[in-house]
Amino acid sequence: GQWHLAGGGGNPGLTHRAKSGQFESLALLVAAAAHDYQHGGLTNAYLSSARDPRALRYFDQRPNESHHVAASLALLEDPRKRCNFLAPMPRQEQAAFRKLVADLILATDMADHSRITADLLAAVTAQKAAAAQAAAPHSHSQGHGLDAPPSGDGGGGFLPGTEAEAVLALQVVIKAADLGHLALPWDQHLTWVKRLEEEFFAQGDMEKQLLPDSPVSFLMDREKPGVSDTQVGFMDGVVSPLFSALEGALPGTSPLGRAVAANREMWRAIEETTSKPSGKSKPLKYFRAETTPRLGIKI
């Protein structure tokens, strides 16, 4: 999208790249590639509780995401690596690029998930209301609404009115990508759920050894229900609102929402048709691909 973030404020130094939306697209791609750079498979909460050097360095403020930003940008500018493709950019654009990449990576911290999702939904709703009011017959506000078509079927989607709204939309895009396995075909989605569950259980094992006086984090005790037991609730409370916000801003992403809904239905059917071993997470063998035909669900 042509959202003009580089430099801002009508800066005459904006390049064609920035004006065409390539600036934002490049920042989004770099942020997506770097958003988990050198991730240790441990949550922010654990790093803080264990007084990990990353948590101490960043004052317990998003230690993982803060490290991803700092380490990836340091790598980019390391003269020994000779990979700084930003060098030809004017310095002001380089600074704007680094800031945008940082804003996008930091947004992948799930602590801000509800706020970011709600803020974009509010912005999209406000724009639709303004556009509808401007288009209404005999409206006294004609000509004063945002100059954008209503999003939705046949509309052009969300047109940010400010730089903050543009960044917000991009943050929702990268958050959807971060949770993108939920929109993959069932077999691929299941592979990622299995990996996530094992990563969580591994952290839980560490917590039992290193933090014996503290309760094991939610979903991380392999003797209790894990990620594979909670997918329906996670999709309903976290994932569906995110992809709804994404579709409201960018209607062309609607196939992603439908894919998420299909996987959610698969999990719901599994919950209803499989018995759960008492007190423990269901072994993921219950969720193999062959289950799909038996349940009569088309993915």
Side-chain angles (χ1 to χ4, degrees):
Q2 299 178 22
W3 291 348
H4 315 311
L5 298 187
N11 175 18
L14 286 176
T15 64
H16 172 72
R17 174 178 58 255
K19 292 179 180 179
S20 68
Q22 293 179 358
F23 180 92
E24 294 89 348
S25 298
L26 180 61
L28 191 57
L29 288 171
V30 170
H35 83 285
D36 269 347
Y37 179 57
Q38 293 184 343
H39 198 296
L42 302 169
T43 64
N44 286 334
Y46 175 84
L47 296 178
S48 295
S49 296
R51 298 183 62 78
D52 185 90
R54 289 187 185 180
L56 297 176
R57 182 178 303 119
Y58 298 110
F59 307 100
D60 296 321
Q61 301 299 306
R62 303 183 182 90
N64 272 319
E65 293 76 20
S66 296
H67 177 79
H68 303 328
V69 172
S72 59
L73 292 180
L75 174 66
L76 187 64
E77 302 214 16
D78 187 341
R80 297 170 298 177
K81 303 298 183 182
R82 303 178 63 182
C83 61
N84 187 7
F85 60 87
L86 299 180
M89 281 187 184
R91 294 184 65 85
Q92 185 177 5
E93 281 194 27
Q94 288 190 47
F97 185 88
R98 291 195 301 270
K99 182 180 185 304
L100 179 55
V101 168
D103 287 342
L104 294 175
I105 294 177
L106 293 176
T108 61
D109 179 8
M110 291 301 290
D112 287 332
H113 179 87
S114 295
R115 176 190 61 79
I116 291 173
T117 301
D119 285 353
L120 183 62
L121 281 171
V124 171
T125 300
Q127 185 175 105
K128 285 183 176 181
Q133 184 179 18
H138 311 298
S139 171
H140 295 294
S141 61
Q142 286 184 357
H144 298 285
L146 292 174
D147 185 18
S151 60
D153 292 341
F158 180 58
L159 183 63
T162 65
E163 179 176 318
E165 288 184 349
V167 172
L168 184 64
L170 291 173
Q171 287 175 328
V172 168
V173 169
I174 195 170
K175 287 178 67 60
D178 194 22
L179 297 174
H181 74 88
L182 292 146
L184 290 175
W186 172 253
D187 290 356
Q188 297 173 40
H189 162 59
L190 184 59
T191 296
W192 285 103
V193 171
K194 182 176 181 179
R195 289 172 177 171
L196 177 62
E197 184 165 73
E198 185 49 45
E199 181 178 292
F200 276 15
F201 285 159
Q203 176 176 312
D205 295 342
M206 291 181 62
E207 291 182 17
K208 292 176 182 179
Q209 292 182 352
L210 302 178
L211 303 170
D213 297 329
S214 300
V216 176
S217 298
F218 179 57
L219 300 179
M220 299 189 184
D221 189 339
R222 66 176 70 247
E223 298 303 315
K224 297 180 180 180
V227 170
S228 60
D229 293 272
T230 58
Q231 284 297 295
V232 172
F234 178 62
M235 287 183 164
D236 289 347
V238 176
V239 181
S240 293
L242 175 68
F243 280 86
S244 292
L246 179 68
E247 183 177 347
L250 301 168
T253 63
S254 59
L256 298 178
R258 292 195 295 271
V260 168
N263 282 331
R264 188 263 185 205
E265 177 62 16
M266 184 66 186
W267 285 110
R268 183 199 61 77
I270 288 173
E271 283 191 359
E272 292 181 354
T273 57
T274 59
S275 60
K276 302 180 182 180
S278 178
K280 295 185 178 181
S281 177
K282 295 191 296 295
L284 278 162
K285 65 182 180 181
Y286 286 123
F287 307 144
R288 61 188 185 276
E290 301 91 271
T291 308
T292 305
R294 181 171 60 82
L295 295 174
I297 298 173
K298 295 181 180 179
I299 305 295

